[in-house]
Amino acid sequence: MSMREYMLGNVAIARGIIEGGGQVITGYPGTPSSEIVDTLSSIDDRDFYVEWSVNEKVAMEVAAGASMSGVNSVVTMKHVGLNVAADPLMTLAYMGVKGGMIVIVADDPACHSSQNEQDTRRYSQFSLIPGLDPSTPQEAKDMIPYAFEFSSKHGIPIIFRSTTRISHGKSDIELQSVNKEKPQPDFEKSVERWVMIPKHARIRHPRLLEIQKDIKQELQDSEWNNLKINEESSFGVIASGISYVYAREALDRLGVNASVLKIGTYPLPDDLILELFDNVDTLLVVEELEPFVEEHVRALAEDKGVNVRILGKTGKNGEYVPREGELNIDKCEKAISKAFGLTYAEPSLILESELKLPSRPPAMCPGCSHRASYYAMKKAFGSDAIYPNDIGCYTLGVQGGTVDTTLCMGASISVASGIYQAGEKRPVCCAIGDSTFLHTGINSLLNSVYNKADITVTILDNRVTAMTGHQPNPGMGKTATYEDTLEVSFDQLCRGLGAEFVEVVDPYDYDSAVDVFKRAKEFEGTSVVISQQQCVIDARRAGIKRNPYTIDEEKCTGCKQCVYFGCPAIEFDASLKKARINSMCTGCGVCAQLCKFDAIMEVEK
Amino acid sequence: MNTNNKLDLVIAGVGGQGTILASDIIGNSSVLENLPVRAAETHGMAQRGGSVINHVRIGTDLGSMIPEQGADVLLALEPVEAIRYINYLSENGIVVLNTKPVYPVTVTSSDQYPDVSEIINTLKKKYEVYPLDASELAIKAGHPQSMNVVMVGAVSSYLPIGKNRLEECIKDLVPPKTVDINLKAFELGKENISRLIETSAKKP
Ligand SMILES: Cc1ncc(C[n+]2csc(CCOP(=O)(O)OP(=O)(O)O)c2C)c(N)n1
Ligand code: SF4
Ligand code: SF4
C-alpha cells in the first residue's frame, strides 16, 4: 500500500535520512535548513545519533569523523554556514569518506532570512564534490537514500542543495520503506588515507580528479536528469533544481512547444546537453542565482563547435533570466517569451488602489529582553556611541539606533575591535546573542582581550537560539534531544578568555542594567556585560506566567516615553492623546519603570 | 464544496496569526481527498510580526508558487494584507477577509493605517468580497487565537474538500484541549460566510 503524507520539505528530507539509514546527523541551525535536525531530534524512538553542534565547521567535522568510521552521516546548514565549514570541506574532498556522507546546504534566493544569496553550486564545483539539486520536496526525499549510496560507493561526500521553496514548501509525499541495514562503525587506521600531510595530499588530489569521470557518468545516467525532445520545436530549455517546475508550468501556460532538459546533478550531464544541442536552434537556460549551468553549456558548445543560440543571464544577447532573487512562473514566462520571440504582456494591475499601505517589518516580540538591553545600553552609552551588532532576533532592533553593523555571525566583537583599533575615539559597545557568541564569538572576544581593545561586549543571553526556531545550545544545559548536559557559564568562559570586567545583569531591571553598562563603559580594556533573561516565547513554553501591565488613563499625560520604547503591545491613541497597552503584553514590566508619572502598573490577578 | 478538484489559494496575514496552521488544515485534508497539493510558506524572520503570505495549490503536481493573477481565492486574515497581495488574485477571484486590523509597531511606522471600510470598498470595485469579523467570532468560539480556524471555515465552501475531512484535520492539528473551541470556530466561520453569500445572491 502506498503511503502519502502532507509534509514540509525539510520534514521530507528528514524522512529521507531515515529511509536511507542515516546514523549520525549533525548541524547548526539556520533558516531554511533548521527543521531537518529539529524533526529528527524530536523523534523519541530513534536508532540514530543527532546533535546540534556549536557551529557549522564543528558539525561538518563530527559528521566527517562518523563517516571515516564507516557509518552514514549527514551535516545540515544554511548556505552561509558552508563558508564557516569550507575549510574541512575542501580537504575532505581529497581525503574522501568511507560511510556515505551528505552535506545538506539550504540556499535562500531572495534573502528571505539571510544576509546574502550565495549559490552553493559554486562550492560543488570548487571542491570537486558532486552535487544534487532537487526540483520538488518529493524528489528531495527520494534523493537522500541515493546520496548515501552514491557517496559511500565513490568514497566522496556529496552536497545536497536545497532552497527556501524546497525546504519550506509543503507537498503530499509518497513514503518508501526504511533501510534497516546499517554499516557497523569500524575505523581503519591508514595514515596515507586519513592524514593529509603534503605527501599524502599530493597523492589524494590526482585521485580526486580521477574519480570525476565515473562520478559524472553515473550522475548523468541517474533519474535526476531527464531529457524530453520535442520533434516539432526548434526551441530548447534547460532548467535546474526548482527552476524546472517553474519553467515547466510557464511553458504549459504559454502553450509553447520545446525540448526540455531537467537538471538535478552536478557535474552536469554532458551527453544529454549535446543531444539537446542536436535538436534545437535556440536554447534558454533557466536557473536560480548564478549562471552556473549556463557557463558550462556555453563552454561545451564552444568546445564542440556547436552553433546554437544560447540565452540566459550572460552573453552578448543580454539578460533573459535574472541573476538575483528567486524565480517564479511569471519570470519564466517572461524569459521564455522573450527568448522564443513571443509577445509577452506583463500582468497589469487589476485593482488600481490609491490606498497607502503601512509597512510591516518584522519586530522583536512584546517583552523581548533584547529591547530592554538595548534601551539600557543606549541610556548609558548615548546615541553618539558606535554599536556593532550581530545576527539573531536582536538584529530586528535595527530601527532603534543600537544596531550599526551586521556582517556575519560572530563579527560584532571583531568589527568593534577593528573600529577601536582604527583610532575611533567614540565609545564602542557591541552586542551578540548567546548562540552566536558560542558559534564564533569566543575567538573574537579572546582576540579583543589579547589585543587590548577598549570596547564593551554585550552578550544578549536569552538562554536559547531563538531566531531560527528556539533550538537548545550549550548555554542552556540541554542537548538537541533535550537531555541534560553541562551548562556553560558565560561568566567563567569570558573570565577564562582573559576579560577582567565581566558582569551579569537582568535587563528587566532597568536601573541596574543602566548602572552596569555605565561602569562597563568606564572600564579601560575589553569589558563584558552578560545581559541575561529568557526569551519570552521560550519562557511561555516553560510555563512561566507573568501578569500583564495596564496604563491608568487618569495618570497618563501622553508624553509617549513608553511608546518610544517600541514594544508592540503599547499603542498610542492619537485622539485621546493617551498610551494604551493591548492584549499582546507579556508582562516584562520595563515600560512601567520608564514612566515618570507612575501611570503603568501590573494587573494583579 | 467545489467539485472542480483544482484551486489556487493565497493566504495572507501577519506573523503570529496562524497562517501556517490554516494552510496545514487545508493541505492535510487535500491529501485525505486524494488530491495532490503544494504549498509555499513564510517561515523564519518574517514570522516575528511581519507580513506573511502562504500559497496553497490544490490539484497541482508542479511548483508551490502561484503566479500573479493566478489565485482563485484570497483568504486575508488581516485587512491591509489583503491589499498588499491583491495582485495574486485572478480577475474573477474571491476575497474572504477578516475585518479586524493588526496595527504595525507604532513608533517605527509613520504611515497611517487606512480605514477598514475604505479597504473593503476598494476591493469591491473589482472583486467579490466577503468581509467578516473573524476575530470577534473566534472570541465567541472560546479563544481569540482560533481566528485562523474561523477563516478556514469561512473559505471552506470554495475548497474541493469535504467538510468532514476539514474537521478531521482540525481535530488532528490543534492542541487537544482546544479541539471543541476550534470546531466551533470553524462552524461559525462557515455559517457566517453562507449568510453573506446568500444575501449577496439576493441582491440584484
Ligand atoms: C554562519 C551562519 N549560520 C547560521 C546562521 C543563521 N542564524 C541566524 S541568527 C542565528 C542564531 C541566533 O541565536 P542567538 O545569537 O542566540 O540570538 P537570538 O536569536 O536567540 O536572539 C542563526 C543560527 C547564520 N546567519 N549564519
Ligand atoms: S523570539 Fe524571543 S528573542 Fe526572538 S524576538 Fe521574540 S522574545 Fe525576542
Ligand atoms: S510590560 Fe510594557 S514593555 Fe513589557 S510587554 Fe507589557 S507593554 Fe510591553
Side-chain angles (χ1 to χ4, degrees), chain B residues 67-78:
Chain B
E68 277 187 43
Q69 298 177 14
D72 303 296
V73 181
L74 169 64
L75 183 66
L77 275 52
E78 205 280 342

Side-chain angles (χ1 to χ4, degrees), chain A residues 324-401:
Chain A
E324 81 291 324
E326 61 183 353
L327 294 183
N328 55 32
I329 295 169
D330 298 297
K331 289 181 189 173
C332 289
E333 280 187 22
K334 192 171 172 180
I336 290 167
S337 305
K338 194 174 154 201
F340 303 146
L342 314 170
T343 49
Y344 174 76
E346 193 91 43
S348 59
L349 285 178
I350 298 178
L351 182 74
E352 303 269 355
S353 145
E354 312 258 276
L355 291 179
K356 252 197 96 226
L357 302 187
S359 62
R360 200 189 292 279
M364 293 180 290
C365 304
C368 175
S369 56
H370 297 329
R371 185 180 289 109
S373 300
Y374 283 160
Y375 209 79
M377 181 193 286
K378 202 169 168 190
K379 177 82 186 167
F381 278 84
S383 355
D384 195 39
I386 301 167
Y387 298 102
N389 203 266
D390 226 294
I391 306 190
C393 277
Y394 43 89
T395 323
L396 297 174
V398 64
Q399 307 288 345

